[in-house]
Amino acid sequence: MSETLETLLHEVRHFNPSDAMREGANIASSDIYAQAAADPEKFWEDWAKTLEWMEPWHTVLEWNRPNAKWFVGGKLNASVNCIDRHVRAGLGNKTAIVWEGEPGDTRILTYSDLLDEVCRTANALKSLGVKKGDRVCIYLPMVPELAISMLACARLGAVHSVVFGGFSAESLVDRINDAGAKLVITADGGWRRGSIVPLKKAVDDAIAAGCPTIEQVLVLTRTGVPGGVTNGLVVRDYDRGTWVEGRDVAWESLVPHQVAQCDPEPMDSEDLLYILYTSGSTGKPKGIMHCTGGYMTGVTATAKWVFDLKPDDIFWCTADCGWVTGHSYVVYGPLSNAATVVMYEGAPDAPDKDRFWALISKHKITILYTAPTAIRAFMKWGHRYPEKHDLTSLRLLGSVGEPI
């Protein structure tokens, strides 16, 4: 058995890009590896200079093993780099997010729209007592408000901790208590294969189990009451949880009434941007801390070079923002590059196994970045599903993590 696995893991084939793709690529030579290795500080400093800084750094790197500090003394704000600077550069009318829910409902947010929504949400969080350094737990389905909430926290200097919407109340307890979160942003539910994931109920259960630092819960209405209809799909029965007066706040009664202007907080390069926890499958979840300057520099570079991002690309990373891939390549990396990103709420087989291919055809997606797990499922399902759709818009495919 082990020999069979070793054989399957041994891959030596190379699939070279076409001459046309190579000629038009952002990076056409492997010389960049030697350049980076020869002077890594200059390499990353050059990338950091592509961001907008409120104050310059005085030292590129302080490296006292095993601790590294990047761009010491510099100050910036992640949300400014993902939104404001693009609007000021005349890209306000460019599409930032194309979103589709599992029932087929859609929303499009331009960069100007995104700036307004992030500022309103940041002001709403301020009104609930959130300030720089506070921890905010985000437990939402893959709706635009997930990205908006992340960027709103970044604007205020609050540290966000996104918890995957498929995790249980027990998982929430661990992550809320370890981070010391003072507020949870959640929704009544999220769509998954035609059923509703009861998110608010899970938050209620987590708080009842013991989350003493939580002061308030901001609740988005996504699925609504059972029996309601979303884009022709009837909302099945589910537990919406219990509304607690004085603790629970409706998103719709607070956020839309805020002003669409919120000054960004200058963040030290080494200030925390977010905490993301490991799955906990092999023990207690561990919170990985991501600082602002180095992280934003890294994801800006890799999004542009690895995915060869061009101004007219429609980029879809299929990861949920509950995972680090979603943080880096749904939100911070692509938006820092002023890309148009696609977000999808549901499952790849809802209502049928061709949903991804239908999305690609409908939204003219040019770059698809997905997981080996998904690719193996597509291989199992067969050719007939992609063959039903026009996929000619695709120009680049990406995957990562493990052999297929």
Side-chain angles (χ1 to χ4, degrees), residues 212-228:
T213 59
I214 293 298
E215 297 173 6
Q216 289 181 294
V217 180
L218 183 59
V219 186
L220 174 75
T221 298
R222 165 59 187 140
T223 49
V225 298

Side-chain angles (χ1 to χ4, degrees), residues 93-241:
N93 290 328
K94 181 177 181 180
T95 299
I97 296 174
V98 177
W99 173 80
E100 183 162 322
E102 188 173 271
D105 45 335
T106 60
R107 284 171 63 190
I108 292 178
L109 293 170
T110 66
Y111 273 92
S112 288
D113 295 333
L114 185 59
L115 180 58
D116 288 351
E117 293 299 323
V118 167
C119 285
R120 287 193 181 97
T121 304
N123 284 327
L125 295 178
K126 272 188 184 180
S127 76
L128 297 175
V130 175
K131 61 186 184 302
K132 180 179 178 179
D134 285 339
R135 313 300 172 84
V136 175
C137 175
I138 303 174
Y139 185 60
L140 286 167
M142 277 291 284
V143 291
E145 286 80 8
L146 175 48
I148 289 165
S149 295
M150 293 166 66
L151 291 164
C153 288
R155 197 166 194 86
L156 297 180
V159 179
H160 61 72
S161 168
V162 180
V163 179
F164 172 54
F167 280 169
S168 66
E170 292 77 14
S171 298
L172 270 174
V173 171
D174 291 339
R175 290 157 176 80
I176 288 171
N177 289 338
D178 187 81
K182 70 185 298 182
L183 180 139
V184 179
I185 304 174
T186 191
D188 50 359
W191 289 91
R192 193 72 179 177
R193 293 188 175 89
S195 296
I196 306 300
V197 180
L199 300 173
K200 173 61 164 60
K201 177 62 164 59
V203 171
D204 290 347
D205 290 347
I207 294 174
C211 295
T213 59
I214 293 298
E215 297 173 6
Q216 289 181 294
V217 180
L218 183 59
V219 186
L220 174 75
T221 298
R222 165 59 187 140
T223 49
V225 298
V229 178
T230 300
N231 202 45
L233 199 61
V234 176
V235 178
R236 298 179 185 176
D237 189 40
Y238 73 105
D239 192 336
R240 300 189 78 203

Side-chain angles (χ1 to χ4, degrees), residues 100 316 342 344 348 350-365 378 385-391 393-394:
E100 183 162 322
W316 185 22
V342 173
Y344 169 58
D352 204 351
K353 295 180 177 65
D354 65 339
R355 187 59 183 271
F356 274 25
W357 317 120
L359 284 161
I360 291 165
S361 178
K362 177 179 179 179
H363 299 296
K364 307 301 179 188
I365 291 165
F378 301 150
Y385 294 104
E387 287 174 351
K388 290 165 60 178
H389 299 278
D390 179 5
L391 306 179
S393 62
L394 285 172

Side-chain angles (χ1 to χ4, degrees), residues 25-27 43-44 47 50-51 82 85-86 111 294-311 313-317 324-341 367-369 395-396 398:
N26 291 334
I27 293 300
F43 177 83
W44 289 115
W47 270 107
T50 68
L51 298 175
C82 289
R85 64 177 179 146
H86 306 319
Y111 273 92
Y295 175 78
M296 286 300 298
T297 299
V299 296
T300 299
T302 51
K304 184 165 187 176
W305 275 8
V306 173
F307 297 107
D308 193 42
L309 275 178
K310 300 290 197 299
D313 274 319
I314 310 295
F315 179 79
W316 185 22
C317 168
V324 71
T325 303
H327 282 60
S328 299
Y329 302 114
V330 174
V331 181
Y332 291 111
L335 295 181
S336 179
N337 281 286
T340 296
V341 301
I367 302 174
L368 174 67
Y369 178 34
R395 71 175 189 88
L396 192 149

